[in-house]
């Protein structure tokens, strides 16, 4: 099933993001929110962190946690309890030295679909690493849990562009 393949590819995508081409590969059907990179999306709680009340706020928190704070465990905590995706691990970033060697800035996000039980969000992200830089459109599927939207799957464009090949993890 395609969804299971995408869930499996989620963690693998962490390693593949920086070595991609600069072609965004968008299909032109997305509607950007127009929120510039670095602009908070959603409200803030008492600790100053963006909340997880909307799918887009969760996507922004995910990138800020993983690439802004280099916090792999914190990013894993943003996965939904029912997610079948393997956790992100430090080994996923070994080709680049570490997660700290990669930067990611969200250029825009688009809610492609949303219901009470699931949402799909696409994020145009400018990546930079020792392997190069590129703007990619990453796909997220999210679901609510205890009043917060959490990540079911994260599929970077570099993983989707691998076609029918079976990706292999560098464990």
């Amino acid at each position: 099933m395609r969804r299971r393949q995408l869930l499996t590819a989620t963690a693998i995508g962490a390693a593949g993001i920086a070595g991609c081409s600069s072609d965004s590969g968008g299909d032109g059907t997305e509607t950007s929110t127009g929120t510039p990179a670095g602009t908070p999306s959603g409200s803030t709680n008492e600790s100053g962190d963006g909340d997880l009340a909307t799918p887009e706020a969760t996507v922004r928190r995910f990138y800020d946690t993983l690439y802004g704070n280099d916090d792999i465990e914190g990013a894993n905590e943003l996965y939904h309890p029912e997610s079948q995706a393997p956790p992100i691990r430090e080994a996923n970033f070994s080709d680049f030295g570490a997660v700290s060697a990669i930067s990611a800035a969200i250029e825009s996000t688009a809610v492609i679909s949303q219901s009470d039980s699931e949402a799909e969000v696409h994020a145009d992200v400018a990546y930079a690493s020792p392997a190069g830089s590129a703007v990619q459109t990453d796909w997220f599927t999210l679901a609510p849990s205890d009043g917060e939207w959490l990540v079911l799957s994260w599929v970077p464009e570099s993983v989707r562009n691998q076609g029918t090949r079976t990706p292999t993890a560098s464990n």
Side-chain angles (χ1 to χ4, degrees), residues 40-116:
S41 174
S43 62
T44 358
N45 60 25
E46 292 175 6
S47 69
D49 295 330
D51 67 15
L52 305 175
T54 68
E56 287 177 296
T58 300
V59 168
R60 289 183 179 281
R61 170 84 72 85
F62 181 85
Y63 284 105
D64 186 50
T65 301
L66 184 59
Y67 297 110
N69 298 328
D70 306 327
D71 184 358
I72 293 171
E73 289 307 313
N76 283 326
E77 290 173 9
L78 294 173
Y79 275 95
H80 194 279
E82 294 177 13
S83 173
Q84 296 177 14
I88 301 167
R89 301 176 331 156
E90 287 184 38
N92 296 123
F93 304 96
S94 62
D95 290 346
F96 311 105
V99 69
S100 60
I102 301 169
S103 66
I106 296 175
E107 293 188 346
S108 65
T109 59
V111 176
I112 303 306
S113 64
Q114 184 172 344
S115 68
D116 290 341

Side-chain angles (χ1 to χ4, degrees), residues 146-159:
D146 295 328
E148 297 179 324
W149 284 91
L150 298 175
V151 176
L152 285 171
S153 66
W154 165 47
V155 186
E157 183 176 316
S158 58
V159 171

